[in-house]
Amino acid sequence: QVQLVESGGGLVQPGGSLRLSCAASGSIFSIYSMGWYRQAPGKQRELVASITTRGSTTYADSVKGRFTISRDNAKNTIYLQMNSLKPEDTAVYYCNVSPIGIISWGQGTQVTVSS
């Protein structure tokens, strides 16, 4: 069974940056489009960025121009570069197949944006 492990979260001030990583135990990134999702307290999980096997990307309007998703199929890893972070970006971030998370969800990585 494929496992997903997210890392790179933390506490950052508004306007700061973080880079998240997601590693998979199997070679799924060359097969599926992948995405970064987030879930804020009291809210539903939402898809914020996706990348196809060919490298085409899409973003939610709330993060467009600030977040960049990328992938390294050889390393079975995807990344989310987050710049100009806002308090409303505070959430637990997860990776999974896009647009529907068909793999068991990992633990996620907490991102907190606060001064």
Side-chain angles (χ1 to χ4, degrees):
Q1 184 177 358
V2 175
Q3 291 185 321
L4 300 168
V5 179
E6 301 91 351
S7 62
L11 173 63
V12 64
Q13 292 187 342
S17 298
L18 284 174
R19 188 192 193 209
L20 308 183
S21 299
C22 170
S25 59
S27 301
I28 62 170
F29 295 153
S30 60
I31 300 172
Y32 296 109
S33 294
M34 296 296 298
W36 281 98
Y37 300 74
R38 69 185 181 187
Q39 187 167 20
K43 294 187 177 181
Q44 289 189 332
R45 188 175 288 156
E46 62 171 340
L47 177 63
V48 297
S50 298
I51 186 166
T52 69
T53 55
R54 295 185 178 182
S56 296
T57 57
T58 56
Y59 300 92
D61 287 344
S62 58
V63 306
K64 199 172 294 183
R66 300 187 297 120
F67 289 10
T68 302
I69 187 172
S70 60
R71 66 194 299 158
D72 186 334
N73 290 344
K75 294 183 178 180
N76 293 326
T77 302
I78 62 170
Y79 306 95
L80 187 67
Q81 177 66 44
M82 305 187 297
N83 299 327
S84 302
L85 283 161
K86 304 175 180 180
E88 51 263 43
D89 295 319
T90 295
V92 180
Y93 285 72
Y94 305 86
C95 66
N96 211 312
V97 173
S98 171
I100 299 174
I102 62 173
I103 297 174
S104 295
W105 294 92
Q107 298 272 358
T109 186
Q110 175 71 47
V111 172
T112 302
V113 185
S114 175
S115 55

